[in-house]
Amino acid sequence: MSSGTDALLALRQAIKQKNPVTYTNDSGPVSSFSSATHIVLSSTITLPKAAPTRLRKPGATSTDPQSSPQDFFALGAVYLAWLLRDASSAEYMKQVRENGYTVGFVSVTERKAVADWLEDKTQSLSGLVPIEAESTTPPGTPPQLRGTASLPSLTSSKGAESTSSPLKRRYVADPADMEVVKKIKANEIELQDRNTVLRGIKPNNFNSVKVAFAEKLKKLKESSNKHYSSSSTWSSAPSTPDPKMQARKPKNNYPIIMISSSPTSLITMYNVRRFLQDAVFEPSQEARARAASEGNARAEDVIPIYRKRTTIDPSGRETETQTRYFVVDSAEALAKFGPDAWDRVVCVMTTGQAWQFRPYKWQDPKALFHHVKGIYFSWTNDPPNPKIKDWNVTELKIDPHRRHVDKSVVAHFWRILDQWTTTYKPSLMQG
């Protein structure tokens, strides 16, 4: 065996030529790998099992296996990685330990790459140190020509140019490959997110809508001008503002909540203030008896509700405001707020009885709850009311006994009402 034989190349050549690999020690050939000291790769090549190879261990930086053998895998460890290439991970680790490699063995993750390189399936291997110039000859290869130093410099320059020119040559794409890439791109499906779906694939142009309504707006403007001019011609005296009208203060635009006047309603004029303002539910009978003991035998027809709200501005500062609502239980009480009172109604609490809506502006429940927010209060143990199924109302449950949950029910009510008012009647939102 030549002292310059590379262990990795010799093992790779033996595997490629399918030479039978045997084991030997000082006593002679053995059948067990664990008891062997040398590996016989061919009739002329026998290498120590512990001989360091050029395959560097992960994390090592040495480039010389002879000076730092501890940084490189031994020939026996590399051979075992190839020999047990098809074994499972657990079986591989078991066989490696039984053959004496508790440390310094090829890991399970690196085993396949090492086996592929030894079988000549790949030409590159991570951690493989290149062979020096004097040891690049594989076993059995004729010796290389020496004396290159005596060659003219022109020859060496041409050789360098010929070896380096493929790296400097500009890449030219294959036309056939370009056609394949075009076909692949043509069949690609572009992934879309929420923004791209909402934005659409073409620019939105609303000029047609603008043109369609421009003529209508022009006619409306002309008709209003004619109406103003005609009204000014028959007026004999110039119109002067009424001092009383000028002195009149602007009316308060507070939102209104209507409740049912039914005595069976959970929310009545006796307990509505404590429920919506203090977040405490009191049965109507008890609230009525308490009011009578205080000398208020008859409930008010208009009750103001003061609600505290905490808002946070963009700077993070909290601001507490107080919002006023009015609660009525009849159309007669609502009429006290003027002819536009129904424009200020934001909520109607119903008991599921249709007679409640007869004196209302909209007597049909579906039409009514299209213009106001509908709320239906019931006990937590009550079955669903089939009458309100198609009324577009929100059902809120009140517990008959647990008063500590009233606060969450009231907070849910205000949150629903705020969302509805902000969407449909934002002018009534205060603070």
Side-chain angles (χ1 to χ4, degrees):
M1 179 188 70
S2 173
S3 59
T5 301
D6 182 76
L8 273 182
L9 289 181
L11 178 60
R12 190 183 192 189
Q13 189 71 13
I15 293 173
K16 186 177 180 180
Q17 296 178 356
K18 298 181 180 180
N19 295 337
V21 179
T22 58
Y23 319 123
T24 184
N25 56 17
D26 296 338
S27 302
V30 293
S31 59
S32 174
F33 178 85
S34 59
S35 59
T37 58
H38 289 68
I39 301 177
V40 180
L41 300 178
S42 66
S43 58
T44 58
I45 300 178
T46 300
L47 297 174
K49 187 172 67 173
T53 65
R54 291 183 293 108
L55 185 58
R56 187 165 49 199
K57 296 179 181 179
T61 58
S62 177
T63 58
D64 187 4
Q66 301 302 326
S67 61
S68 302
Q70 71 279 2
D71 292 341
F72 295 84
F73 288 108
L75 176 62
V78 177
Y79 172 72
L80 276 181
W82 172 82
L83 184 65
L84 303 173
R85 60 191 180 280
D86 296 327
S88 63
S89 300
E91 181 65 22
Y92 172 71
M93 296 300 300
K94 177 184 177 183
Q95 293 290 336
V96 165
R97 287 192 296 267
E98 289 179 353
N99 284 280
Y101 289 96
T102 56
V103 294
F105 57 88
V106 179
S107 65
V108 176
T109 57
E110 297 172 335
R111 177 180 54 167
K112 184 178 185 306
V114 172
D116 290 345
W117 185 85
L118 290 174
E119 293 177 348
D120 204 13
K121 293 181 180 180
T122 59
Q123 301 301 319
S124 60
L125 181 61
S126 177
L128 187 63
V129 177
I131 304 176
E132 295 180 359
E134 61 271 16
S135 61
T136 56
T137 305
T141 304
Q144 299 290 332
L145 181 63
R146 299 292 182 181
T148 55
S150 61
L151 295 178
S153 59
L154 181 61
T155 306
S156 61
S157 63
K158 286 184 179 180
E161 183 179 355
S162 62
T163 56
S164 61
S165 58
L167 299 177
K168 296 181 179 180
R169 188 168 52 195
R170 185 176 180 181
Y171 173 74
V172 179
D174 188 2
D177 293 342
M178 294 177 64
E179 292 298 326
V180 173
V181 172
K182 287 181 180 180
K183 291 181 180 179
I184 294 174
K185 287 186 175 182
N187 295 326
E188 284 182 349
I189 299 177
E190 183 179 357
L191 296 179
Q192 295 182 341
D193 56 9
R194 174 178 175 273
N195 293 329
T196 56
V197 170
L198 293 177
R199 190 177 295 114
I201 60 175
K202 60 181 180 180
N204 296 324
N205 189 351
F206 296 99
N207 286 332
S208 58
V209 179
K210 180 180 178 181
V211 173
F213 280 89
E215 189 66 25
K216 294 182 180 180
L217 294 175
K218 183 178 179 181
K219 291 180 179 179
L220 289 174
K221 188 176 181 180
E222 291 177 353
S223 62
S224 62
N225 291 337
K226 289 180 181 179
H227 177 72
Y228 175 77
S229 61
S230 61
S231 62
S232 61
T233 53
W234 62 264
S235 178
S236 58
S239 59
T240 57
D242 188 358
K244 295 182 180 181
M245 296 295 293
Q246 286 185 338
R248 184 181 298 174
K249 295 181 180 179
K251 63 180 179 180
N252 294 325
N253 202 26
Y254 296 114
I256 301 173
I257 299 174
M258 292 192 69
I259 66 175
S260 174
S261 59
S262 173
T264 61
S265 176
L266 295 182
I267 307 299
T268 65
M269 298 298 283
Y270 291 100
N271 63 357
V272 65
R273 173 180 290 166
R274 193 176 181 195
F275 183 64
L276 296 183
Q277 188 169 291
D278 302 332
V280 176
F281 176 79
E282 183 182 15
S284 181
Q285 294 81 359
E286 297 179 8
R288 185 172 184 175
R290 179 175 52 81
S293 64
E294 295 174 355
N296 301 323
R298 185 178 180 85
E300 303 176 37
D301 58 350
V302 177
I303 297 178
I305 301 293
Y306 296 94
R307 174 196 173 199
K308 291 183 179 180
R309 285 197 305 171
T310 302
T311 57
I312 303 177
D313 57 13
S315 63
R317 183 179 58 183
E318 294 186 358
T319 305
E320 188 177 83
T321 59
Q322 184 171 264
T323 307
R324 182 188 299 178
Y325 291 78
F326 286 104
V327 179
V328 298
D329 66 344
S330 64
E332 292 78 9
L334 181 65
K336 296 180 180 181
F337 292 93
D340 62 340
W342 275 104
D343 296 336
R344 295 166 55 185
V345 177
V346 294
C347 176
V348 170
M349 297 184 187
T350 178
T351 58
Q353 299 167 326
W355 60 262
Q356 174 187 350
F357 315 126
R358 290 175 185 172
Y360 287 6
K361 181 178 180 180
W362 299 281
Q363 299 181 3
D364 182 26
K366 295 182 180 179
L368 172 66
F369 295 120
H370 179 74
H371 294 85
V372 300
K373 178 59 185 175
I375 298 293
Y376 174 74
F377 282 103
S378 63
W379 297 117
T380 53
N381 52 4
D382 285 348
N385 191 344
K387 295 180 181 180
I388 66 170
K389 182 179 180 181
D390 301 326
W391 285 9
N392 190 25
V393 299
T394 300
E395 183 177 5
L396 298 179
K397 296 286 188 177
I398 299 177
D399 195 281
H401 310 290
R402 300 186 301 168
R403 298 279 64 82
H404 63 278
V405 300
D406 293 341
K407 185 172 292 186
S408 62
V409 175
V410 175
H412 190 198
F413 165 78
W414 287 121
R415 184 164 55 251
I416 293 173
L417 190 59
D418 286 346
Q419 293 175 353
W420 189 93
T421 307
T422 303
T423 304
Y424 298 101
K425 295 184 179 182
S427 60
L428 298 179
M429 289 296 294
Q430 303 173 19

